[in-house]
Amino acid sequence: MDIAQEEVHVARAMNFRGVVVGEPLSFFNNEEGFNCLLHWIQKLQASYQFSEAIIGMEPTRHYWLALSRWLFNNKFQAVLVNPYLVKKNKENRDNTRSKSDIKDALVIADMIKNGYYSWIRTTAEEFEELRVVLSNRDAIVKRLVSTVNQLHRWVDLVFPEMRQVYKHLTCTGAIATLRLFPTPSELRNMQPQDVIDGWRTLMKRHSGKRRAHMLVALASSSVGSTQAHKAYKLHLKQLLEEYDLATIQLQAVEQEVIAVLHRIPYAKQMLAIKGINAISLAGILGESGDLSGFAHGNALLRHAGLNLTEASSGKWRGQIVLSKRGRSRLRRFLFMATMSLLMNNSEFKTMHKHNVSMKKMKKMKSDMKLCGKLARILVGMARNGSTYIAQKTLPLTQAA
């Protein structure tokens, strides 16, 4: 099946010998359309005496999820094909670069016949919750970063001297100052004590007399914009409202992440590893699902696209690189967790130092090697239900 954003999907059928059977079917992304697909499949099975059907599709963004759940509930074998391979196989059928929904569906059917597919992994509700919550967190962080960047721009335009008072414009004192005295023209007519009194309405511990004097002095000689004050103040008010909303939402999301992790049996043992934080672990579990379902840590690396590939021919040997044929967010969370371990975990520090100094590895190559080490540790802990043992992490020569 070719999954479309416009809610009209196309299905083609092929037998195990590669012979096209039946006519193309277009159906809508709703219950009526799915029932139409069911009758079409049943009719083909009756006409050609087929006992089983495998239904494949590309994981096109989120458009395929509703149909895959419906297929699973109706006991169909649903599989996924790699969109990159579909693109590469388009010319196999007619030796042209033409593209259409009907042709794409036929190419997908041909790939399934050849066995170029992967099974859809079903996960428990906790792991799906983590995936949804972490996706929501990414959107909130993106909004928050955008808002902070706009706050920096606003300060540069209206009151650039404020950077001499506050090193970080998102600290409590700087945010309180922007709420109370947004423009230099307001600070010029105030005494330092008035500034301190204003701070006390928002902060238990204010920024101090020295900063209050500096603000008033710098405001009197500010080179910021002196026009459109009303518009600038309105913009700042909206930016602060967006900043507050994103901050509150981020706190709520992170609390939900911790609550969901408590429901996963082996998450507590993983969080006990020094250097593993809740967000990184939640991202790994949300993107990969139940780690106990992986046969080995290398399977998790392949799922993330962190497995190695090489292009060689005869005497020529190409460069060995990461395949990056997997979940990009899983790669990011695995790398972030590894970087945190390198900064906080003594065992990973020792292994990194050994790789760089003794094995003469480049630092980034050692980092990626330790990503694999982390993947094997996490999968082993999930499969065996064991705790983290520092001495087992190190090779025998280093442990001794």
Side-chain angles (χ1 to χ4, degrees):
M1 289 181 293
D2 182 69
I3 305 298
Q5 179 182 1
E6 292 79 12
E7 298 186 352
V8 179
H9 311 316
V10 177
R12 298 293 301 272
M14 179 183 295
N15 66 14
F16 62 95
R17 292 188 176 90
V19 179
V20 179
V21 296
E23 296 296 325
L25 172 72
S26 298
F27 61 99
F28 290 98
N29 190 45
N30 53 34
E31 183 68 22
E32 183 180 354
F34 294 168
N35 287 328
C36 181
L37 172 66
L38 177 61
H39 295 321
W40 181 74
I41 294 173
Q42 291 174 343
K43 183 178 178 181
L44 287 176
Q45 288 180 314
S47 299
Y48 295 92
Q49 298 181 350
F50 296 143
S51 59
E52 295 183 4
I54 300 178
I55 303 175
M57 66 199 82
E58 295 177 284
T60 310
R61 296 180 67 87
H62 58 274
Y63 312 129
W64 63 281
L65 292 173
L67 180 57
S68 67
R69 292 193 189 98
W70 183 86
L71 291 170
F72 179 79
N73 294 333
N74 283 271
K75 311 301 181 184
F76 279 106
Q77 298 184 58
V79 298
L80 297 177
V81 296
N82 193 318
Y84 183 80
L85 293 180
V86 174
K87 184 178 179 181
K88 291 293 185 181
N89 282 274
K90 284 188 186 297
E91 298 187 25
N92 289 352
R93 299 297 300 184
D94 54 9
N95 198 30
T96 67
R97 292 181 294 177
S98 62
K99 183 186 185 308
S100 67
D101 293 344
I102 294 177
K103 180 180 177 180
D104 288 350
L106 188 60
V107 171
I108 292 170
D110 194 34
M111 291 177 62
I112 295 171
K113 182 263 297 182
N114 292 326
Y116 302 146
Y117 59 81
S118 59
W119 297 101
I120 298 176
R121 297 179 69 245
T122 57
T123 59
E125 185 175 0
E126 292 83 2
F127 300 98
E128 186 169 354
E129 285 184 16
L130 286 177
R131 184 164 60 249
V132 173
V133 171
L134 265 296
S135 177
N136 184 24
R137 183 181 182 275
D138 282 351
I140 295 171
V141 170
K142 187 176 180 180
R143 282 171 35 220
L144 183 59
V145 171
S146 175
T147 302
V148 171
N149 290 339
Q150 291 182 70
L151 279 172
H152 279 267
R153 178 183 180 275
W154 190 96
V155 170
D156 290 338
L157 291 173
V158 180
F159 194 7
E161 295 80 7
M162 189 176 177
R163 293 183 180 277
Q164 300 178 35
V165 183
Y166 295 104
K167 185 177 180 180
H168 302 288
L169 295 180
T170 53
C171 69
T172 307
I175 294 295
T177 302
L178 290 173
R179 294 186 198 278
L180 297 167
F181 327 110
T183 59
S185 59
E186 298 177 44
L187 283 168
R188 290 190 190 111
N189 303 321
M190 300 180 67
Q191 297 297 320
Q193 188 59 44
D194 298 330
V195 176
I196 293 173
D197 293 339
W199 282 340
R200 283 173 175 164
T201 61
L202 297 179
M203 299 186 293
K204 293 182 179 180
R205 183 179 179 181
H206 59 77
S207 299
K209 293 182 179 180
R210 184 179 64 85
R211 283 191 170 133
H213 282 279
M214 287 181 65
L215 277 172
V216 174
L218 292 170
S220 61
S221 58
S222 176
V223 296
S225 176
T226 57
Q227 296 180 337
H229 274 194
K230 186 176 180 180
Y232 276 121
K233 290 176 70 173
L234 176 61
H235 186 205
L236 178 62
K237 179 184 176 182
Q238 292 174 340
L239 286 176
L240 291 174
E241 288 174 352
E242 179 66 21
Y243 177 81
D244 293 339
L245 177 62
T247 304
I248 293 171
Q249 289 179 339
L250 187 61
Q251 292 173 353
V253 164
E254 292 179 351
Q255 290 175 0
E256 182 64 21
V257 165
I258 294 172
V260 176
L261 284 176
H262 286 324
R263 291 157 46 194
I264 299 176
Y266 49 77
K268 184 177 180 181
Q269 288 89 333
M270 293 179 179
L271 287 174
I273 303 174
K274 188 176 181 181
I276 294 288
N277 61 66
I279 299 302
S280 295
L281 179 59
I284 294 171
L285 296 179
E287 289 298 312
S288 62
D290 189 356
L291 292 180
S292 62
F294 289 91
H296 193 271
N298 291 343
L300 178 60
L301 293 178
R302 182 173 290 276
H303 189 57
L306 288 174
N307 55 304
L308 300 177
T309 60
E310 179 185 6
S312 302
S313 178
K315 296 182 179 180
W316 178 77
R317 290 291 179 269
Q319 187 177 6
I320 298 176
V321 296
L322 298 177
S323 69
K324 294 187 179 180
R325 294 285 188 268
R327 289 183 174 269
S328 59
R329 291 179 63 199
L330 179 56
R331 287 198 299 275
R332 172 161 61 90
F333 283 118
L334 277 171
F335 185 76
M336 287 170 55
T338 305
M339 292 299 100
S340 179
L341 287 168
L342 287 175
M343 290 186 287
N344 301 289
N345 190 286
S346 59
E347 295 81 41
F348 273 76
K349 285 182 181 180
T350 302
M351 288 187 288
H352 182 63
K353 183 178 179 181
H354 179 76
N355 290 339
V356 174
S357 60
M358 302 300 293
K359 295 187 175 181
K360 306 302 179 182
M361 288 185 185
K362 292 183 179 180
K363 290 184 178 180
M364 182 54 70
K365 186 176 181 180
S366 175
D367 294 342
M368 303 315 299
K369 183 179 178 66
L370 292 176
C371 277
K373 184 73 172 180
L374 174 61
R376 289 186 285 275
I377 289 173
L378 295 180
V379 171
M381 292 175 66
R383 289 179 61 86
N384 303 327
S386 58
T387 58
Y388 176 75
I389 302 174
Q391 289 302 111
K392 282 190 174 182
T393 305
L394 296 171
L396 291 177
T397 55
Q398 293 174 275

